[in-house]
Amino acid sequence: HPPQGWCRSPCLPIAEVPAASFKRTERKGSGTILVVDDEEIITDIATKILSQAGFRVLTASDGRKGVEVFCQHSEEIDVVILDLTMPEMSGEEVYGEMILVKRDVKVVLSSGYSESEASTRFAGKNLAGFIQKPYRPQQLIAEIERCVGSRLRPPPQDPSAS
């Protein structure tokens, strides 16, 4: 049986979100986000959401690949969205490797577990945030905005709208 809080076939409402749901009035992001998750549907959906919000997105399909991508792009990565439970390397192990490369890496932990359950494994570590799966586009954007808020800029004002 899978661990409590984990599901093999997630029902993710974000897969059905039309592109039009990202209105021009929303803030536009800038920067690079690394999404590390072994579930392809999660990386695909996160990539779509974050790209439409203006971010450059890098992905990795497991922990080892996540560390490789992070090592190659550590200077340009602003935030890492890191799955807690993956084969090969756990999220905790990946985080340990990433902080050796970049001490101030901003990591948002992503899990089907509740925040309190997931956070106990990261007690004393400096996580930037947590987002519980399944998440909605506005939740993901809000969490990234909270982490790099000073890097987000409002969209250009349309002079004809005045």
Side-chain angles (χ1 to χ4, degrees):
H1 293 291
Q4 181 181 359
W6 186 88
C7 60
R8 187 176 281 310
S9 301
C11 236
L12 299 173
I14 53 180
E16 299 173 16
V17 174
S21 67
F22 295 99
K23 299 180 178 85
R24 285 181 137 340
T25 57
E26 292 184 27
R27 296 168 64 97
K28 288 292 274 183
S30 67
T32 302
I33 312 300
L34 170 59
V35 179
V36 183
D37 201 302
D38 62 314
E39 294 181 67
E40 186 177 359
I41 190 167
I42 299 291
T43 56
D44 289 350
I45 291 167
T47 297
K48 184 174 184 179
I49 293 167
L50 294 168
S51 295
Q52 288 176 347
F55 293 98
R56 175 176 172 233
V57 182
L58 304 173
T59 62
S61 58
D62 65 43
R64 288 198 196 290
K65 290 177 185 159
V67 171
E68 288 173 19
V69 173
F70 185 77
C71 287
Q72 293 168 359
H73 301 277
S74 63
E75 290 306 312
E76 59 201 88
I77 293 172
D78 297 293
V79 177
V80 177
I81 299 171
L82 179 62
D83 186 18
L84 174 64
T85 310
M86 296 178 287
E88 302 285 324
M89 287 180 83
S90 70
E92 191 173 7
E93 292 169 314
V94 173
Y95 178 81
E97 293 292 317
M98 288 180 174
I99 62 169
L100 293 176
V101 175
K102 185 177 179 181
R103 194 94 184 119
D104 62 344
V105 59
K106 292 180 182 180
V107 174
V108 174
L109 188 62
S110 172
S111 177
Y113 291 105
S114 71
E115 182 172 4
S116 62
E117 289 175 298
S119 296
T120 57
R121 293 171 67 177
F122 283 82
K125 297 184 172 102
N126 196 15
L127 287 176
F130 176 84
I131 188 161
Q132 187 170 9
K133 296 185 222 176
Y135 42 78
R136 298 190 183 281
Q138 54 274 36
Q139 291 172 307
L140 182 58
I141 299 295
E143 191 62 27
I144 297 300
E145 181 177 289
R146 194 184 62 70
C147 291
V148 293
S150 62
R151 302 238 0 212
L152 293 179
R153 54 183 162 48
Q157 294 296 317
D158 183 355
S160 64
S162 304

